[in-house]
Amino acid sequence: MAKKKNSGQLVWLFLALWVLHKEAGILLDLMICIAELVKKLYWLMLVFVGLMSIFSIYLMGLWLGFFSGKEWISILIVILASGLVAFGLLYLMYCLFSWLLQLNQWLGIEVPGLQTSNKHIKIKNLSPAASIIYRLLPEDRYADFQERLHRLTKAKKPLWFIRFKRIQYLLELFWAFVQIKVANVWLSSKNKIEK
Amino acid sequence: MGKKSQPEEPVRLSAIDEDILTCLGRRELYGLEILDELNLGRPSELGFGSLYPALNRLEKKGLIVWRWGDEQEVTGGARRKYYKMTGLGAITLKEVRDYRVSLAARAAEGSSILEGA
């Protein structure tokens, strides 16, 4: 009886493994889609966590101020703890983000939205700040952005001016990104209505 | 049986779209080159925020096409996108220019009538 049960379980295991093997491609695609989503939501989450930690510090500070005699010690502890928690969360998110991008690189699967060239290989040679910008921008826009900064450096402009211009260009690129997304959504909805 | 042929919707061009198409002409330019051309002697300078949405719009309308260029040192190893005007783009631009010429002619006619009166 026990033998029959075991063989039944083995059959089920075999079937499960077979299905997993068959569906592995779909699972990987799903994981990469999640990676893409995480990439898109990364900055949003960063801002959210920052805001939440500030809000929690504020709330806990108020609460401790009411119920304890030594407010300043409590507030200091809360600030330190919240800071550590926020840092930890950010670091975790960064790790997850990097790992998922690595996964995409190892698998060599092209995902719409992620750049299709040997971009990840190039990232290794860039500074951390440049690599973040490189990951967020489409390749052609990054090229134009870099060239514009290169021109300023070549013209021997002061460092503060170059930094200021970098922020200005990034804001312009962000604004362009928003406009393009809105236009594309509007165009696709218009096409759907026409169909 | 066949579908009734609908009258083709005219392609609309904004001022910046028209400028970009004029810049491209028969040349192939990348984003920053187009921006440089547009800003040459322009009273108010254009930025990335105006350029890329316009390029996206023109591409969606089928007025321009693009291809990837080679990796460059000045761009930090990133590739440029080279844009080129399509046949439809050239036709649309010509139509807009013809309209402007006719408009200017009518305006000139009107002003000469007013001067004569």
Side-chain angles (χ1 to χ4, degrees):
Chain A
M1 198 70 177
K3 223 177 188 181
K4 209 175 179 183
K5 206 179 174 186
N6 280 345
S7 62
Q9 280 172 346
L10 271 173
V11 169
W12 277 113
L13 186 69
F14 175 75
L15 270 173
L17 281 172
W18 186 77
V19 169
L20 261 178
H21 163 73
K22 278 281 174 196
E23 302 302 321
I26 297 168
L27 284 174
L28 286 175
D29 282 351
L30 192 72
M31 281 175 82
I32 287 153
C33 283
I34 294 166
E36 182 63 11
L37 193 72
V38 169
K39 186 188 154 199
K40 280 186 176 153
L41 292 175
Y42 181 66
W43 288 108
L44 197 71
M45 285 196 282
L46 212 76
V47 173
F48 179 73
V49 169
L51 284 174
M52 284 306 287
S53 55
I54 291 165
F55 187 63
S56 64
I57 290 166
Y58 177 73
L59 275 184
M60 289 183 87
L62 274 180
W63 184 75
L64 285 166
F66 273 120
F67 295 103
S68 73
K70 295 171 183 175
E71 297 99 80
W72 66 272
I73 296 174
S74 318
I75 289 169
L76 194 72
I77 290 165
V78 168
I79 288 171
L80 282 172
S82 306
L84 278 172
V85 168
F87 178 77
L89 276 174
L90 289 179
Y91 186 69
L92 265 176
M93 272 156 56
Y94 175 76
C95 287
L96 182 73
F97 176 61
S98 306
W99 181 75
L100 288 169
L101 276 174
Q102 277 284 322
L103 185 76
N104 177 58
Q105 187 190 334
W106 290 332
L107 296 171
I109 297 168
E110 287 179 6
V111 184
L114 279 181
Q115 275 61 40
T116 51
S117 72
N118 51 348
K119 207 175 168 186
H120 299 295
I121 297 160
K122 287 175 203 163
I123 285 172
K124 285 179 186 167
N125 305 322
L126 296 171
S127 67
S131 71
I132 289 171
I133 296 168
Y134 198 27
R135 276 171 177 167
L136 292 171
L137 292 178
E139 194 168 348
D140 61 312
R141 285 178 225 167
Y142 179 82
D144 290 342
F145 168 76
Q146 275 301 113
E147 194 176 342
R148 242 179 154 183
L149 289 179
H150 180 78
R151 282 181 191 172
L152 292 175
T153 319
K154 215 176 167 187
K156 289 180 180 168
K157 296 278 180 195
L159 195 63
W160 67 265
F161 183 75
I162 296 172
R163 281 182 181 160
F164 171 74
K165 282 285 171 188
R166 180 185 286 163
I167 293 167
Q168 186 198 320
Y169 297 154
L170 281 174
L171 286 174
E172 280 178 15
L173 285 166
F174 176 70
W175 176 230
F177 168 80
V178 171
Q179 284 182 82
I180 289 168
K181 289 288 165 195
V182 170
N184 289 350
V185 166
W186 183 77
L187 270 174
S188 62
S189 66
K190 196 183 156 197
N191 288 341
K192 269 178 203 165
I193 290 164
E194 276 172 5
K195 272 173 194 171
Chain B
M1 285 296 274
K3 246 184 182 178
K4 233 181 190 181
S5 60
Q6 287 175 340
E8 272 185 37
E9 207 178 297
V11 184
R12 286 176 196 169
L13 281 185
S14 68
I16 187 170
D17 293 351
E18 199 185 325
D19 290 350
I20 290 172
L21 286 180
T22 310
C23 272
L24 287 172
R26 285 177 190 172
R27 291 178 298 173
E28 211 182 34
L29 300 172
Y30 64 91
L32 197 56
E33 262 181 337
I34 298 172
L35 200 64
D36 291 341
E37 287 276 335
L38 290 176
N39 284 334
L40 210 68
R42 198 183 187 90
S44 57
E45 206 172 288
L46 289 174
F48 289 135
S50 313
L51 177 75
Y52 293 120
L55 287 172
N56 176 63
R57 212 163 40 231
L58 290 168
E59 192 195 324
K60 290 273 184 281
K61 287 176 186 172
L63 305 178
I64 57 169
V65 284
W66 60 267
R67 68 162 180 90
W68 284 114
D70 292 328
E71 291 167 2
Q72 304 285 326
E73 207 175 309
V74 283
T75 60
R79 294 171 303 170
R80 292 167 176 156
K81 243 184 198 179
Y82 284 88
Y83 295 92
K84 200 170 74 175
M85 190 159 59
T86 60
L88 180 65
I91 292 166
T92 311
L93 186 65
K94 194 184 171 295
E95 280 172 2
V96 173
R97 277 179 179 167
D98 289 347
Y99 166 73
R100 297 238 188 282
V101 169
S102 68
L103 190 69
R106 265 181 287 152
E109 238 173 64
S111 61
S112 63
I113 291 165
L114 282 174
E115 275 165 20

